[in-house]
Amino acid sequence: MLIRKINRQLKNWKQSPRRKPLILQGIRQVGKTYSLKEFGESEYADCAYFNFDENKSLQALFARDKNPERLLHALSVLHGKKIVPENTLVIFDEIQECNDALNSLKYFCEKAPEYHIVCAGSLLGVTLSQPGSFPVGKVDFLTMHPLSFREYIESAGESMLGEYLDQIIAAEEIPLAIFEKITDLRQNYLLCGGMPEAVGCWLVSKDVEETEKVLAAILLAYERDFSKHAPAEIVPRIQRVWNSIPEQLAKENGKFVFGMVKEGARAREYETALEWIVSAGLAHKVERIDLPQFPLNAYANSRFFKLHLPDVGLLRRKTGVTARMLLEGSPMFSLFTGPLTENFVLQQLIAQDIVPYYWTSGNTAEVDFIFQYQELILPLEVKAAENVRSKSLQVYRDKYSPIVALRTSQRNLVLNGGVLNIPLGLIGCLPNLLKKYLN
C-alpha cells in the first residue's frame, strides 16, 4: 500500500467549515483517481464515481442542466442509490473532458454546499478549459505530485525510519547504520522514481525489467497526449522540446538553450511548445534570479531557465541510464549523476510546496536553488557525492550574508561554519530541519 501525503490533505478538506467542491489536479498517472476512491471508501458511507472520459452521455446531462438538485437526482439514478449530503462522496473523474461539469461546480458551491464533491483533472485539461467555464473562487484546489522520497520510505514499510527522520535535531550526525539505510533506499528511489505504478511494481516485485517497462509506458502515454490535446501544428515542436530536456540538463550549467532543440531554432518558434509542456506539468521551469530579494518571483529573469522532469525515475528512463548502470555505479552513469541528483532535489522541494529558482553571478558562480523560507531567502547547493568543494556557495555568502547556507550531498548531517550540510536522503525534511535550526 502506498502512503500518500494527499490522504491527510483530503481529510483536512472534508473537515473544513469553508469547504468548497475540490479539484485535485496533477499530471496523468500520478494517482489522483486511486487516492480519491480510497478516500471515499475510508471516510464516507458511500462513494459515487462518474468518469467523463468513459461515459460521454454524462457530458450531455451537464450540458442540459446546471441545477444541483436536478443533477444530483439524475446522478443518484445513475449511481443506483441516493446521494446523501455529507455521507456520500461524489467523484467527478476526468472533469477536464466536460466544461459544463466544470462550470456546474459554481452552482454546487452556491446552492448545495452540504454535498461533498471532489474532481480529478489533469493539469493540462483544467488549464485549457474553455473561457467562461471555470468557476473562479468557487472551488478548492489540491495538486498531487509523484511520491516524494519521504512517502517512498513509508510505502517501503519503513514507517519507523520515517518517524526517526521527523524527529532529527538539526546538525546532529545520523548514526552510520541508519545513514547507510537511507542511502540504499534513495538509490532504489532513483531507479523507480515516484510514479505510483512504478513504485508499486518495484516494491512488490523488485523486478528491474518490469519497472523499466512501466516507466517506458508512462513516457509513451505522455507523448501520445501531445497529439490528443495540443494543436496539430505545434506537436512536432513539443516533441523536439521534450526530447531535448535530458541533453539540456547534461550541459555544464543546465540552462535551456533553444538552439539545442533544433539547429538554428529561435525562441519565438518554440516558446509556445515549451509553455505547453510546462502547463501540462510535464516539466518544471526553474528561472534564474539576478538579485535575491523579496519577493523572489519579482526578480526572476524569465529569459534564462532550466527545465526538469516532474519525476526522477522518468528522467532516468528517458536519458537511457539503465537500472544496472545506476545500481552498479557505472562510470557511464557518472556523467549524468549531477543532473539526476539535481532533479531529485527539485522533486523533493516541490513536494514540500517550495518554489525554487537558481542564481548566477556573471560567469563566476552559480547556486543550484534559491528559495524563500518564512522571512528568509536561502541558497541551496546540490552535490551528488561526498566531495563538496565549490566556490559558488561561498561567493553567494560573501555577497549576501544569509543567516545560513544550505548544501545537500552524500555527507552526513553537519553544521560547519554557517553551512548546514543535509544528506540527500533528508532533503524532504528541509522545513523541519530549518525550523529546528532557526529556533
Side-chain angles (χ1 to χ4, degrees):
M1 177 181 175
L2 302 184
I3 309 299
R4 306 303 305 268
K5 171 184 173 183
I6 199 71
N7 296 343
R8 295 191 299 272
Q9 295 174 316
L10 290 170
K11 290 178 183 178
N12 291 339
W13 169 81
K14 178 185 179 183
Q15 296 164 5
S16 172
R18 296 179 296 278
R19 184 192 60 255
K20 302 174 184 176
L22 174 70
I23 294 179
L24 179 61
Q25 55 185 6
I27 57 175
R28 288 189 179 277
Q29 301 189 51
V30 80
K32 300 183 296 294
T33 301
Y34 179 88
S35 291
L36 290 180
K37 285 184 173 181
E38 185 180 57
F39 173 59
E41 291 171 2
S42 64
E43 298 294 323
Y44 291 84
D46 187 27
C47 181
Y49 174 81
F50 306 95
N51 188 310
F52 288 97
D53 189 39
E54 292 178 354
N55 188 351
K56 301 298 183 183
S57 62
L58 280 173
Q59 299 186 25
L61 174 65
F62 281 81
R64 287 196 307 268
D65 204 338
K66 298 293 189 300
N67 181 278
E69 184 179 349
R70 290 193 292 270
L71 282 172
L72 286 164
H73 179 72
L75 293 171
S76 294
V77 172
L78 293 173
H79 177 52
K81 61 179 84 169
K82 184 175 175 60
I83 293 173
V84 181
E86 300 188 1
N87 286 340
T88 305
L89 180 68
V90 179
I91 301 176
F92 292 152
D93 202 358
E94 302 288 359
I95 194 169
Q96 76 279 351
E97 299 294 332
C98 182
N99 282 279
D100 289 307
L102 196 58
N103 183 248
S104 75
L105 299 180
K106 169 185 176 181
Y107 303 102
F108 281 109
C109 176
E110 293 175 344
K111 300 179 180 180
E114 67 275 18
Y115 288 89
H116 292 209
I117 297 174
V118 293
C119 313
S122 70
L123 277 170
L124 178 66
V126 174
T127 301
L128 297 181
S129 57
Q130 294 176 5
S133 68
F134 200 82
V136 178
K138 304 297 181 181
V139 293
D140 292 326
F141 280 101
L142 285 174
T143 299
M144 197 168 182
H145 304 289
L147 273 81
S148 67
F149 180 56
R150 180 68 179 78
E151 290 173 307
Y152 175 83
I153 287 174
E154 295 227 21
S155 299
E158 299 288 351
S159 58
M160 291 293 291
L161 177 59
E163 292 174 11
Y164 174 86
L165 295 180
D166 291 339
Q167 297 168 10
I168 284 177
I169 299 174
E172 186 173 288
E173 190 171 278
I174 300 168
L176 181 60
I178 296 177
F179 183 83
E180 289 178 345
K181 187 172 191 176
I182 296 169
T183 301
D184 289 344
L185 285 167
R186 193 184 77 87
Q187 192 81 341
N188 289 336
Y189 179 82
L190 292 179
L191 188 154
C192 66
M195 297 302 289
E197 187 180 357
V199 173
C201 178
W202 173 250
L203 291 180
V204 170
S205 69
K206 293 295 189 293
D207 189 317
V208 171
E209 187 176 342
E210 287 304 309
T211 304
E212 293 283 50
K213 287 180 181 178
V214 170
L215 291 169
I218 293 172
L219 289 169
L220 180 60
Y222 288 164
E223 293 180 11
R224 287 176 174 168
D225 275 349
F226 299 164
S227 299
K228 179 178 179 181
H229 294 288
E233 64 272 15
I234 69 167
V235 169
R237 295 177 186 177
I238 291 173
Q239 189 71 56
R240 291 191 193 107
V241 171
W242 172 250
N243 287 338
S244 80
I245 292 176
E247 183 184 4
Q248 303 269 3
L249 290 175
K251 301 197 312 294
E252 185 176 355
N253 62 10
K255 183 170 71 71
F256 190 90
V257 177
F258 283 99
M260 290 184 65
V261 175
K262 184 182 179 182
E263 187 175 353
R266 298 180 181 274
R268 65 174 180 270
E269 298 175 302
Y270 283 90
E271 282 176 338
T272 301
L274 185 147
E275 291 305 324
W276 191 96
I277 289 175
V278 173
S279 296
L282 299 181
H284 294 304
K285 191 177 184 182
V286 180
E287 297 180 338
R288 191 178 85 184
I289 287 290
D290 295 322
L291 188 63
Q293 292 187 3
F294 280 104
L296 277 178
N297 59 1
Y299 293 90
N301 189 333
S302 60
R303 293 181 302 156
F304 302 97
F305 56 89
K306 301 178 184 181
L307 280 190
H308 295 266
L309 292 197
D311 178 67
V312 69
L314 292 177
L315 177 63
R316 181 196 61 75
R317 185 68 180 83
K318 187 165 177 59
T319 61
V321 174
T322 67
R324 177 174 294 182
M325 291 164 62
L326 172 68
L327 296 175
E328 295 179 356
S330 166
M332 296 174 65
F333 165 65
S334 66
L335 299 175
F336 206 76
T337 302
L340 206 64
T341 303
E342 194 170 322
N343 208 110
F344 165 81
V345 172
L346 175 66
Q347 185 173 343
Q348 311 317 307
L349 295 178
I350 289 173
Q352 298 169 87
D353 300 319
I354 293 173
V355 180
Y357 302 83
Y358 76 98
W359 172 84
T360 62
S361 178
N363 295 318
T364 61
E366 178 177 312
V367 175
D368 299 298
F369 297 116
I370 304 290
F371 63 94
Q372 292 180 195
Y373 175 76
Q374 296 179 358
E375 297 82 24
L376 304 175
I377 293 176
L378 299 177
L380 172 63
E381 185 176 54
V382 177
K383 292 293 182 183
E386 292 188 29
N387 182 3
V388 296
R389 283 181 292 180
S390 172
K391 69 175 185 179
S392 293
L393 191 60
Q394 189 58 50
V395 169
Y396 183 94
R397 294 178 69 204
D398 291 343
K399 196 166 187 176
Y400 299 109
S401 303
I403 189 171
V404 64
L406 307 172
R407 179 190 293 121
T408 183
S409 71
Q410 290 199 42
R411 288 192 176 187
N412 210 316
L413 186 63
V414 62
L415 176 64
N416 183 16
V419 178
L420 180 62
N421 186 86
I422 303 171
L424 285 162
L426 265 69
I427 199 65
C429 307
L430 183 57
N432 193 37
L433 289 170
L434 285 174
K435 181 180 179 180
K436 291 178 180 178
Y437 170 81
L438 295 172
N439 285 342

